[in-house]
Amino acid sequence: MDHFETIEIKTDILILGGGMSACGAAYEAAHWAKQHNLKVTLVDKAAMDRSGAVAMGLSAINLYLGKNSLKDYVTYVKNDLMGIARDDLVANIARHVDSSVHLFEKWGLPIWKDEEGNYVKEGKWQIMIHGESYKNIVSEAAKNALKELGDNGSYYERIFITEPLMDGDRCVGATGFSVRENKFYVFRANAVLTTMGGAVHIFRPKSVGEGLGRSWYPPFNSGASAYFTIKAGAEMTSQEVRFIPVRFKDAYGPVGAWFLLFQAKARNSLGEDYMETRVAELEKWAPYGKVKPIPANLRNYLMMLDIEDGKGPIYMRTDEAIKNLLGKIEDEKEARKAKKHLESEAWEDFLDMTISQALHWASSNIMPEETPSEIAACEPYFIGSHSGASGAWVSGPEDMAPEAYKWGYGQMTTVKGLFAAGDASGASSHKFSSGSFTEGRIAAKEAIRFCVENPKVSAIQQEKIDIVKKEVLKPLEIFSNHKDYSIDPEVNPNYIKPKAFMHRLQKIMDEYAGGVSSGFKTSKAFLERGLELLTFLKEDAENLAASDLNELMRCWENKHRLAQADAHIRTLLFREETRWPGYYFRTDFPTMKEDWKCFANCRWDPESGEWEMIRREIIDLVE
Ligand code: SFD
Ligand code: AMP
């Protein structure tokens, strides 16, 4: 594609993504880069002001330690993940997270305060914010930090990263293309930090047709982190641990504030609280079924059992919760004032982070103080920073990690020079927005150390760049070569358009890998058949076609999704037990097994193209 200019950028540290972790990374990297006269470059596929999961804003910061102990937090996270977590990574983030939250406040993020001036807590670890502009505030600070570096700091927006650039076993950069101009980019770097979020639309979503695109997880994150680390040959962890949140139905509004702050109950159509009526089920999942709070997947599972028994729909009893909260106030005038206040908090919860839910309430005549609202399980997502765990297997902190969990630089993947944070790094769930920002900071500091200690990068041969460029732009060429063969450019035997490709991927995942339509259930036979179908889809991925730059991005999003799907199915197959009912259920291995209390890791070998499945030991730092 001669009409695509090739732009080469040289940098010391390359930050991929512009989300929460990337902003933390840029902020921290700028500080250390100044001391060592190093260059920092950040690349986002979108505009940092509103890119990634926090685009719409958030109504709470879900990780703030405050007066709680580190040990308590690590125990909470591990229990919530049914025993599968890297204590060292979780503790490392948690011990630094509060300072990040204080920075957010300093930069202008309004945090709710009580009459004594303390943060208003949603739950034990969560604090409430007026967070509609959360991402703008954080990205502004990150950009300012880069600007302060002068020529040594830059950020590129609307550039879609496609591939890692490798020099033997070391990652030395990335390639991408502008989604607005005919420009192909080559970023060469001493250290690369991937923070390109998790993935959605790998499974068929519940919102189809006119609602396609409406999902809980932001549609812009499409598996770039997983693809990037897999393609570089990095070991991956917890690829089976998808996350299925329960949300207000159809518009995906958050439930945390209702459950924790407003103390609401979810009840089935008969008025029963499944958390009480199904308590016996929790025994089967001991010891995790007995901890408090009950792990998110088990809470989901009890609800799903009610649905399977025909007891749905399930309603969040917002009406009941508001009545209970007001019932405690005797003075009538005070009660009226409190009601108004509660109502406005309820609406703000949505307006801060899921505006569509407020519209949905308004358009369906829902007044939370009077009307219960339907909640439901979403489709599966890959978000290692929330209650999922998928991501790259990274080296732990020098002072805390057991020997088996560290190999030089903190947050470095098993590939030299390639670091990961946020959704891109695995087995350290519940970092959320504040923890992802913090992990980005930790990773950037280590990446700078790597740059200082490993300054030499050999030049990449031009022929190699030319081959990658041809491959990246291939969908445009395929379309232009074959578009006139059929009357409708969407249907053509010579190629597949990205939307059709995505639907096919979603159908396979939904039906064979435990999606919504199969009630999140799967088995060896289904998974093996799913893998077989993925093989055919992989062949067709070579014939993806794009009519313009936007579709070129869609093609690459789907190539990225495919790698995430592949790793997911293989790891579901590998782990012969059911450990996270409510996220997925292996019908052929319906119970949790002690000998599977381990990490299920995998690695794709760039030389042979073969996958290797690996068990890694869980080393507890706290009991
Ligand atoms: O509770 C490419 N999260 C919440 N965290 C909280 O602290 N409080 C909440 O209230 C939260 N809620 C919530 C949350 C997430 C979501 C999806 C919803 C609601 C609906 C979690 C946090 O948001 C999450 O942990 C962090 O944002 C993770 O940070 P990070 O950096 O790992 O991901 P990102 O912020 O999504 O950024 C990804 C970036 O990558 C870019 N990108 N760039 C270049 N090339 C490519 N190919 C790329 N692909 C992606 C993106 O543009 C973006 O900049 S609650 O309701 O659940
Ligand atoms: P959510 O809105 O579901 O993402 O929840 C926000 C935060 O509250 C996360 O830290 C959740 O783990 C936590 N949370 C949500 N619901 C509950 C619940 N019923 N019990 C305990 N923690 C919850």
Side-chain angles (χ1 to χ4, degrees):
M1 289 277 157
D2 298 337
H3 59 289
F4 270 76
E5 188 187 351
T6 300
I7 315 242
E8 271 195 48
I9 292 167
K10 287 208 176 86
T11 184
D12 291 295
I13 157 162
L14 177 64
I15 301 167
L16 302 176
M20 287 308 288
S21 327
C23 288
Y27 173 77
E28 189 74 24
H31 175 80
W32 300 103
K34 214 178 282 171
Q35 294 185 9
H36 297 285
N37 193 28
L38 294 176
K39 193 171 172 192
V40 184
T41 304
L42 179 149
V43 190
D44 191 352
K45 90 188 245 194
M48 286 169 75
D49 286 353
R50 291 266 175 202
S51 67
V54 185
M56 257 200 277
L58 295 178
S59 57
I61 286 178
N62 286 345
L63 171 50
Y64 180 76
L65 221 61
K67 294 200 175 86
N68 296 303
S69 77
L70 198 57
K71 180 172 177 290
D72 256 15
Y73 192 71
V74 174
T75 307
Y76 159 61
V77 174
K78 198 163 46 189
N79 283 338
D80 201 62
L81 269 294
M82 307 293 279
I84 311 293
R86 282 268 301 269
D87 288 359
D88 59 323
L89 298 176
V90 176
N92 197 26
I93 296 167
R95 68 176 160 171
H96 294 300
V97 75
D98 287 10
S99 74
S100 295
V101 174
H102 301 150
L103 280 175
F104 300 157
E105 193 173 23
K106 192 177 111 192
W107 295 332
L109 178 71
I111 303 183
W112 294 21
K113 299 272 176 61
D114 63 16
E115 277 152 15
E116 278 92 51
N118 300 313
Y119 292 160
V120 172
K121 292 178 124 197
E122 183 186 65
K124 189 169 176 182
W125 321 101
Q126 302 88 352
I127 56 172
M128 299 300 293
I129 57 173
H130 298 289
E132 189 278 337
S133 299
Y134 189 7
K135 186 67 202 305
N136 302 63
I137 292 166
V138 172
S139 65
E140 186 182 40
K143 287 180 190 176
N144 285 344
L146 291 175
K147 282 177 194 159
E148 269 185 36
L149 289 178
D151 289 346
N152 270 350
S154 40
Y155 59 90
Y156 293 81
E157 296 182 321
R158 300 197 171 89
I159 294 182
F160 186 94
I161 293 296
T162 53
E163 301 275 319
L165 210 54
M166 301 298 294
D167 178 20
D169 62 350
R170 179 168 172 182
C171 183
V172 291
T175 55
F177 60 89
S178 162
V179 297
R180 295 278 166 97
E181 303 167 297
N182 287 353
K183 287 181 179 166
F184 174 73
Y185 280 85
V186 179
F187 296 94
R188 294 172 185 230
N190 275 356
V192 180
L193 167 53
T194 173
T195 64
M196 293 184 281
V200 63
H201 288 147
I202 286 173
F203 280 85
R204 184 193 278 152
K206 283 185 159 177
S207 305
V208 291
E210 87 289 358
L212 183 69
R214 185 69 213 121
S215 51
W216 172 75
Y217 194 65
F220 347 106
N221 288 351
S222 44
S225 299
Y227 175 88
F228 197 90
T229 41
I230 289 171
K231 193 80 197 286
E235 184 170 327
M236 305 296 288
T237 189
S238 309
Q239 292 299 305
E240 75 281 37
V241 196
R242 82 271 287 268
F243 176 44
I244 297 178
V246 161
R247 287 293 177 263
F248 283 94
K249 192 168 173 295
D250 296 332
Y252 298 85
V255 297
W258 280 102
F259 278 132
L260 301 180
L261 186 70
F262 301 126
Q263 299 284 303
K265 298 249 184 246
R267 296 187 188 280
N268 64 25
S269 59
L270 309 175
E272 296 163 348
D273 175 358
Y274 53 83
M275 296 304 292
E276 285 169 8
T277 54
R278 296 203 179 263
V279 78
E281 174 67 29
L282 296 174
E283 297 282 330
K284 293 186 199 158
W285 308 96
Y288 311 109
K290 295 183 163 185
V291 301
K292 289 275 177 289
I294 295 161
N297 65 293
L298 291 179
R299 298 198 302 264
N300 285 3
Y301 185 53
L302 299 191
M303 181 179 122
M304 286 170 190
L305 291 175
D306 260 20
I307 300 274
E308 274 179 21
D309 274 3
K311 293 182 170 180
I314 305 293
Y315 291 96
M316 180 73 84
R317 296 303 303 262
T318 56
D319 52 330
E320 196 180 281
I322 292 183
K323 266 186 207 96
N324 286 344
L325 290 169
L326 294 176
K328 293 173 191 146
I329 306 169
E330 280 168 16
D331 182 83
E332 213 176 292
K333 205 166 143 210
E334 281 302 310
R336 260 204 311 276
K337 220 168 98 188
K339 187 167 177 237
K340 273 229 146 341
H341 186 70
L342 277 176
E343 280 167 28
S344 74
E345 282 183 352
W347 283 92
E348 184 184 337
D349 184 34
F350 293 160
L351 291 170
D352 276 348
M353 69 188 288
T354 317
I355 300 149
S356 48
Q357 185 69 54
L359 297 175
H360 190 50
W361 265 7
S363 62
S364 41
N365 296 337
I366 287 182
M367 289 191 283
E369 64 279 20
E370 286 174 14
T371 337
S373 287
E374 222 181 310
I375 58 170
C378 306
E379 53 278 348
Y381 308 110
F382 297 88
I383 173 165
S385 68
H386 202 293
S387 310
S390 53
W393 184 242
V394 296
S395 187
E398 189 52 43
D399 61 337
M400 262 190 199
E403 287 309 311
Y405 292 168
K406 63 181 169 197
W407 45 95
Y409 298 88
Q411 300 297 139
M412 193 169 85
T413 66
T414 55
V415 169
K416 226 198 257 166
L418 177 57
F419 294 74
D423 291 328
S425 82
S428 53
S429 318
H430 287 267
K431 33 198 165 191
F432 297 104
S433 61
S434 47
S436 298
F437 180 92
T438 307
E439 197 180 23
R441 291 177 68 186
I442 297 168
K445 190 176 172 189
E446 287 292 88
I448 293 268
R449 188 162 71 87
F450 179 90
C451 284
V452 172
E453 292 171 10
N454 303 270
K456 285 232 163 20
V457 180
S458 54
I460 306 279
Q461 297 151 344
Q462 192 53 44
E463 298 126 62
K464 205 166 159 183
I465 305 271
D466 292 342
I467 292 170
V468 178
K469 180 177 177 182
K470 202 167 166 24
E471 183 63 25
V472 167
L473 303 178
K474 196 168 97 182
L476 290 169
E477 195 182 337
I478 291 182
F479 182 78
S480 105
N481 288 347
H482 299 289
K483 66 179 183 340
D484 298 328
Y485 185 81
S486 60
I487 299 164
D488 180 353
E490 293 304 305
V491 185
N492 191 312
N494 296 298
Y495 60 67
I496 181 165
K497 278 294 201 77
K499 200 163 192 176
F501 186 95
M502 185 181 76
H503 286 311
R504 215 167 111 196
L505 172 69
Q506 290 176 350
K507 183 169 162 61
I508 296 170
M509 296 306 284
D510 184 52
E511 293 174 358
Y512 297 93
V516 171
S517 75
S518 47
F520 310 113
K521 294 189 185 90
T522 187
S523 65
K524 182 169 189 280
F526 270 115
L527 291 165
E528 284 177 346
R529 175 73 183 134
L531 262 188
E532 194 181 354
L533 293 169
L534 270 196
T535 314
F536 301 136
L537 189 61
K538 253 179 244 169
E539 287 170 9
D540 287 347
E542 294 305 312
N543 295 315
L544 272 160
S547 61
D548 57 22
L549 282 173
N550 188 263
E551 267 196 349
L552 184 63
M553 176 176 75
R554 297 280 177 249
C555 289
W556 275 96
E557 285 177 344
N558 283 310
K559 281 177 185 258
H560 290 175
R561 286 191 180 104
L562 188 58
Q564 176 65 86
D566 204 355
H568 185 51
I569 293 201
R570 286 171 197 278
T571 320
L572 288 174
L573 197 52
F574 183 54
R575 184 181 282 282
E576 294 187 327
E577 64 161 354
T578 295
R579 183 162 287 261
W580 298 274
Y583 290 169
Y584 75 89
F585 202 93
R586 280 284 303 253
T587 51
D588 47 351
F589 296 103
T591 57
M592 190 166 69
K593 293 181 184 162
E594 191 51 35
D595 63 344
W596 271 104
K597 195 175 173 226
C598 63
F599 296 105
N601 288 7
C602 62
R603 181 179 175 266
W604 179 80
D605 184 343
E607 297 290 318
S608 65
E610 297 294 317
W611 285 88
E612 182 192 0
M613 304 308 297
I614 310 153
R615 274 178 187 244
R616 296 271 178 221
E617 193 190 353
I618 296 198
I619 304 170
D620 295 317
L621 300 185
V622 299
E623 278 317 309

